[in-house]
Amino acid sequence: MRKHCALKHGIFKEFLAEFLGTFVLVLFGCGSVAQTVLSRNTLGEPLTVHIGFSVGLMMAVYVAGGVSGGHVNPAVSLAMVILGKLKIWKFPFYVIAQFLGAFVGAAAVFGLNYDAFMDFTSGILSVTGINATGHIFASYPARHLSVLGGFIDQVVGTGMLVLCILAIIDGGNIGAPKGMEPLAIGLIIMAIGVSMGLNCGYPLNPARDLGPRLFTAVAGWGMEVFSTAGYWWWIPVAGPMVGGVVGAVLYFLLIELHHPHDQDEKTHEVEEEEEEEEEDEDSSLKDKYEMIAMS
């Protein structure tokens, strides 16, 4: 009974961590887009959007990393399941928390900038046109982008994201100094943003894209958020999930698979050192006991 309660408490803590982390990501990320669009580029530009999402992800991982691992992305969570780093029964809880966090984060961005939205749009919330604002919350493709091109874009982008994250947290690789992992992960988003943002704005995260898109659907933009661009909405959901698996498999096969033996040896050495320390402590206690007995 006690073990069952501890298990429930544990997953609840992780659920809250993923919820809050994804909320932070969307608040900073979509908030930076809102400031750029609603100010008509006077208080923002593409670089500030890249910074907003990069720092947003970094802060999200700092918020949730010590509790849940700070996935804040269903594609990352799926990759961790594939690699055995996350129990599969936890996966649905993580995904639900991430979608809820993204939805609430989008609502917060809209609430904070409500007056600016009304001024910019004259009260007409739209996805297309000169005063379009739907792209503040979710991704939409550039005119040149095909469905296949968009899908490949998301597979490659998310694959690189997951592959680089695995490199950063891999104890058998160079990795990042303890406590600096979130900064390194944030820099991945910066790199992707400045190199792969042309086609559709690098969503890379089903929760970060679909959660805010659902919010816009109920907040006044309507079902156009799903039908626009030939029902584009499923691409930034399916593409990242495939990309996350591809990135995880590639890293495992090409890198991680080749150094688990060294990691096992290191772990064994640490265990042996701990056993030796325990034996030394026992020996010291025994000597003290014998000295007391003799006296």
Side-chain angles (χ1 to χ4, degrees):
M1 182 67 178
R2 187 175 298 175
K3 183 178 179 181
H4 180 66
C5 291
L7 190 66
K8 288 175 65 177
H9 182 252
I11 190 61
F12 183 64
K13 286 198 304 181
E14 293 170 33
F15 182 93
L16 292 179
E18 286 296 308
F19 169 83
L20 187 58
T22 313
F23 171 84
V24 169
L25 167 62
V26 172
L27 181 63
F28 286 141
C30 292
S32 67
V33 183
Q35 181 164 296
T36 300
V37 172
L38 299 178
S39 70
R40 299 187 188 278
N41 298 317
T42 60
L43 295 176
E45 57 179 322
L47 181 58
T48 62
V49 174
H50 300 330
I51 293 172
F53 275 107
S54 299
V55 176
L57 179 59
M58 179 178 71
M59 291 297 110
V61 178
Y62 271 120
V63 167
V67 180
S68 65
H71 300 174
V72 300
N73 184 338
V76 174
S77 296
L78 179 60
M80 296 304 174
V81 170
I82 296 295
L83 295 175
K85 300 178 186 294
L86 178 69
K87 294 178 180 177
I88 191 169
W89 67 267
K90 289 185 176 183
F91 179 69
F93 293 98
Y94 274 53
V95 172
I96 292 171
Q98 291 156 2
F99 273 98
L100 287 176
F103 185 94
V104 176
V109 170
F110 183 64
L112 284 170
N113 298 283
Y114 179 79
D115 292 334
F117 270 102
M118 294 301 104
D119 179 67
F120 184 89
T121 64
S122 299
I124 302 173
L125 303 175
S126 60
V127 177
T128 58
I130 191 171
N131 290 328
T133 48
H135 63 292
I136 289 175
F137 298 97
S139 69
Y140 294 90
R143 291 182 179 179
H144 66 265
L145 191 65
S146 65
V147 171
L148 179 59
F151 188 82
I152 293 173
D153 176 274
Q154 288 305 286
V155 170
V156 173
T158 311
M160 288 305 301
L161 172 64
V162 169
L163 187 147
C164 292
I165 288 173
L166 292 173
I168 289 168
I169 65 174
D170 184 1
N173 209 327
I174 295 174
K178 184 174 176 57
M180 297 297 289
E181 298 93 340
L183 174 60
I185 291 171
L187 290 175
I188 303 171
I189 292 298
M190 176 63 76
I192 292 173
V194 299
S195 62
M196 305 182 201
L198 174 64
N199 289 326
C200 56
Y202 63 99
L204 312 177
N205 183 336
R208 167 259 172 281
D209 195 85
L210 185 56
R213 195 184 299 272
L214 286 169
F215 170 77
T216 56
V218 300
W221 282 264
M223 297 308 292
E224 187 182 2
V225 300
F226 293 104
S227 61
T228 296
Y231 292 89
W232 158 266
W233 70 270
W234 68 272
I235 299 291
V237 176
M241 298 303 281
V242 174
V245 173
V246 171
V249 171
L250 282 176
Y251 188 82
F252 178 77
L253 291 178
L254 301 182
I255 303 294
E256 191 172 342
L257 184 64
H258 302 286
H259 59 239
H261 182 65
D262 295 336
Q263 286 181 312
D264 291 341
E265 286 183 350
K266 289 179 181 179
T267 303
H268 185 63
E269 288 174 2
V270 171
E271 290 176 352
E272 285 183 345
E273 289 176 1
E274 290 177 350
E275 288 177 1
E276 288 176 1
E277 289 176 359
E278 290 177 358
E279 288 177 359
D280 291 341
E281 289 177 1
D282 292 341
S283 177
S284 177
L285 289 171
K286 185 178 180 181
D287 291 341
K288 289 179 180 179
Y289 175 78
E290 289 177 350
M291 288 175 65
I292 292 172
M294 289 175 64
S295 63

